[in-house]
Structure formats: C-alpha cells, structure tokens
Amino acid sequence: MSHRHAPRFTRQAWALILSSLTAGMAVAAPGNCGALGQLPAVVEVGEGLQQELQSPVAITRLAIGDPKIADVRVNGERHFLLTGVSSGATSLMVWTACASTPRQSMVFVKGKATSALTSLSLSPSEDPLLPSQVQTDIRFVEVSRTKLKEASTRFLGRGANFFLGSPNLLSPSEGVFKLPVSPDSFNIGFGGGRVSAMINALERSGFAYTLARPSLVAMSGQSATFLAGGEVPIPVPSAGSDTISIEYKEFGIRLTLTPTVIDRNRITLKVAPEVSELDYSNAVQIQGIQVPALTVRRTDTSVSLADGESFVISGLISTNNRSTVSKFPGLGDIPILGAFFRESNIAREEKELLMIVTPHLVQPLAANAQLPSLPGEKLRSYDPNWYRMFFLENGNFDRRSGLSQ
C-alpha cells in the first residue's frame, strides 16, 4: 500500500504564500475606498517647508516624480509628509489596496523669491483644469513738460570815436547799425539817433503726452513677441573700400513676454516692453547721409500676479534744469542798470514715465459666435453725398469703436 507524502515548503515559500493571501484579503475588503477621492488633486507647498497629508485608507506605496523638486516620506499607516525642495512642479503617486493603479496629484513648490517661479512651465496635459492662455495688457505712459524763460538786452551806440555793442550787428554802411531782433523772442525797441536798444523777452511752456497699449495673447510657458513700428535703414561703410551696406534697425512698440500659469489664479510673467522713436535732433552724418538716432525706453523684468491684477513694473521721474547768464564784465553786475548789459536763460524739463502690466486668463470665443465690431467698421463704406458733405459733415471721425474700446 502506497502512501503519498504532503509537500514540504521552505520558509521563504510560506512567507510568499502568506503575503499573497494577505493581499487578497485586503483587496477583498478595501474598507473606506469610496473616500479615496478626498486626496487633493493639487498640493501646494513652499520651498523648504513641509506639509502633512492624510489618506482615508492605508497606504501601500508612495512615489514622487522629481525628487529634486519635492520629497515624500511615510508617517504612519495613513499619513505621509511632503517636503518642498526647490521651486517647480512634479507629480505625486499614492498606491493603496483599493486599486492597482496609483492616485496621482500635482505638487507645486513655490520658491522663496517670486522670480524663481518664472522657470516653472506647465502644459495642459499635466492639469487639464488649469487655463492655458494668457492675455497681457501693457500700458506705456510718458508725459514730458518743458518751460523756457529768456531775457536779454542789446544796447548799441555809435559816435565819432567809439561804438558800444557787438561789431557783427553793425551795418556795412558807416554810421548805421542793425537792431538785434531775435526771431524766437518778443522784442521791444527804444531809442533813436546814434543810440538804440532792444529788449528780447520770451517765456514758453509746453507738454507732450504719449500712450501706448499693446496687448498680446500667449500659451502658458510659451514666448510671444509683438512689434508695431518699422525698420530704419542704417548705412554701414565697408572696411577698406568706399562702398556702404545697408542694415535695418527696428523701432516702434515692441513687446516680448512669457506667461506661466502656476495655479488657477496665479500667473508669473517675464515681460520686456520697449518703445523707441526716431530722433533727428541727434542724427549723425555717414558719408553725406543723415542717419537718425533712436530714443528708447525699455524694461525687462519678471512679476507674479493674479488674474486682472496690475503692477507698475517700471517708473521714472526726471527733472532737468539749465540756467545760463551772459553779461558784460562789470557793467552786467550793476543793480537795475546791469540788466541792459546781460542775457539770462532758464530752461526746465520734467519727464514722467510709467509701464504697467495686467495679465488675464482668457478663453477663445465659441465656434460660430458673433465677433465684436472691428475698429473703424462704420467708416469702411463711408461715402456721403454732396449735400451731406457740404452742410452736415463736421469731421468727427475720432470716435473709438470696435475692439479699441
């Protein structure tokens, strides 16, 4: 009679079977798996800070996508500790007995400085709930005020053996001299015969106001540029020859920006606006060709703003005072009467400059939606008859309409 012997298992085999049975019992009795959705989909933590999170069910495994950005450690059966290492974004995966696939969350680590967040780049696939398009409005405002005061006296006389005044004001004919009339000033003359005088006085003030409002839409994490202006040809002499080549220099309103959406109501911007214009008062001559200079106002910075918030990213208040006095030595220092022997000039210039940035989270218009009227849409087919043009037209064409509102 034969006997069958029971199979013998090693200690390692029994441990493997026991762990399999335990895992099967855990799957069969998941416990509070319905509350697994309480784990946050987005977690924010500061750089160098820690945050404790709790799972509704027991945790079997934890993993972090980029350990250079964040670190995670188990702190008990259902608790784990999240540590921010450096600014950026990564993913957190939590395994439990409720499912074979992990529960995934996004982790945003905020840097100690706002500028550190500009290197963060999110794509719509990482979090489909985050907006992915940003419209940035830049307002450039410049006000320049000038004031000029001039006062001078020209006193001329001629006798038999002397003359008083500037020789270049004398007429070629003997015994006759020209009155020193200034075309830029107001002139008052008095005297007669061989003695005459002219008082030149001028007081002038003015202002200049410049406003530019470029606007640009860009994807989160992508760079975009905008230019409204033109290109000026610059002649460049060739070395060792008489020929010249032409290079083109851009000028106008330029905007370069890179927006990054870091959460549902926070945007970091790397923005570089620039406004330039031709300046013929400082032009140079290159082989007989007048080349204008460029007056440029630019800034380059990074800021962090919420949707619709505004920041003055650059500003300038400058004052320039100039005063000159020209006088005849000695006579110009005499009180009261010395005014006839001197010339005074005072010039004052004040400038105020502001650059303001405002980002907006935007969505495209729906398909087949009615578009707003375009600028000048009402003037596109403007063709008045002779009667309307002669009697009714008043030239009021400067009303803003359409998108410019």
Side-chain angles (χ1 to χ4, degrees):
M1 186 176 187
S2 62
H3 298 278
R4 291 185 178 181
H5 298 280
R8 295 183 179 182
F9 296 96
T10 63
R11 182 177 300 177
Q12 291 81 3
W14 281 112
L16 181 60
I17 295 174
L18 182 59
S19 62
S20 301
L21 293 175
T22 305
M25 294 174 60
V27 173
N32 194 18
C33 291
L36 191 59
Q38 296 177 1
L39 282 174
V42 178
V43 182
E44 295 182 0
V45 63
E47 182 180 346
L49 302 179
Q50 292 181 327
Q51 182 176 352
E52 187 181 35
L53 299 175
Q54 181 180 2
S55 173
V57 294
I59 300 172
T60 59
R61 182 186 172 190
L62 289 172
I64 199 75
D66 190 350
K68 295 181 180 179
I69 296 178
D71 184 32
V72 63
R73 295 181 181 274
V74 178
N75 188 22
E77 186 180 20
R78 298 185 179 183
H79 296 77
F80 59 94
L81 196 62
L82 186 64
T83 304
V85 178
S86 63
S87 61
T90 185
S91 59
L92 170 68
M93 289 171 286
V94 181
W95 282 270
T96 63
C98 296
S100 59
T101 58
R103 166 76 178 183
Q104 187 169 353
S105 302
M106 285 299 302
V107 177
F108 296 100
V109 179
K110 295 185 176 181
K112 297 179 180 179
T114 304
S115 60
L117 293 176
T118 58
S119 62
L120 175 61
S121 177
L122 296 179
S123 62
S125 61
E126 290 176 333
D127 190 351
L129 300 179
L130 285 179
S132 60
Q133 298 180 103
V134 179
Q135 174 184 326
T136 305
D137 299 330
I138 301 291
R139 282 174 288 178
F140 169 84
V141 182
E142 182 181 23
V143 181
S144 177
R145 291 181 289 266
T146 58
K147 182 173 291 187
L148 175 65
K149 292 183 179 181
E150 294 180 352
S152 62
T153 303
R154 296 292 190 272
F155 186 75
L156 299 175
R158 185 177 180 87
N161 298 318
F162 80 97
F163 70 88
L164 177 65
S166 178
N168 61 359
L169 296 176
L170 297 176
S171 176
S173 60
E174 185 178 356
V176 181
F177 54 84
K178 300 181 296 181
L179 291 178
V181 177
S182 175
D184 297 328
S185 303
F186 293 94
N187 305 275
I188 301 176
F190 59 92
R194 290 185 174 273
V195 179
S196 181
M198 182 70 69
I199 297 178
N200 309 125
L202 173 65
E203 183 172 351
R204 181 171 57 199
S205 61
F207 78 94
Y209 179 81
T210 303
L211 172 64
R213 301 188 63 175
S215 181
L216 193 61
V217 178
M219 291 286 294
S220 175
Q222 302 295 321
S223 298
T225 60
F226 170 88
L227 175 64
E231 294 183 342
V232 57
I234 305 295
V236 180
S238 300
S241 64
D242 296 334
T243 62
I244 61 174
S245 59
I246 300 297
E247 294 183 0
Y248 289 89
K249 176 68 174 179
E250 294 179 345
F251 71 96
I253 303 171
R254 170 181 289 278
L255 176 61
T256 303
L257 63 89
T258 305
T260 303
V261 181
I262 60 176
D263 61 28
R264 293 176 180 83
N265 195 35
R266 205 68 186 173
I267 306 167
T268 60
L269 282 175
K270 181 173 177 58
V271 57
E274 175 183 312
V275 177
S276 59
E277 59 186 1
L278 301 180
D279 183 7
Y280 285 93
S281 62
N282 295 316
V284 297
Q285 296 285 337
I286 301 178
Q287 295 188 0
I289 303 174
Q290 186 181 26
V291 180
L294 287 177
T295 300
V296 181
R297 286 83 74 197
R298 68 164 64 96
T299 187
D300 188 347
T301 185
S302 298
V303 293
S304 177
L305 296 169
D307 181 11
E309 290 183 343
S310 298
F311 231 127
V312 178
I313 58 176
S314 64
L316 171 68
I317 298 178
S318 64
T319 302
N320 186 10
N321 292 328
R322 298 186 304 273
S323 178
T324 59
V325 177
S326 302
K327 60 184 179 180
F328 188 88
L331 295 179
D333 297 327
I334 299 175
I336 306 301
L337 295 179
F340 294 98
F341 303 95
R342 65 174 176 258
E343 176 183 358
S344 301
N345 182 297
I346 298 176
R348 179 183 178 90
E349 183 179 6
E350 295 179 349
K351 284 188 177 181
E352 296 183 22
L353 173 65
L354 286 178
M355 289 188 182
I356 307 171
V357 59
T358 306
H360 300 279
L361 298 175
V362 295
Q363 297 291 339
L365 294 174
N368 301 323
Q370 183 178 1
L371 298 177
S373 59
L374 299 177
E377 184 72 18
K378 297 180 180 179
L379 302 176
R380 183 178 61 177
S381 58
Y382 178 74
D383 186 16
N385 54 32
W386 184 92
Y387 172 82
R388 178 178 180 83
M389 191 171 182
F390 187 80
F391 291 101
L392 302 179
E393 185 55 68
N394 58 2
N396 189 13
F397 302 123
D398 57 353
R399 294 181 179 178
R400 291 189 301 170
S401 62
L403 298 176
S404 61
Q405 294 178 337

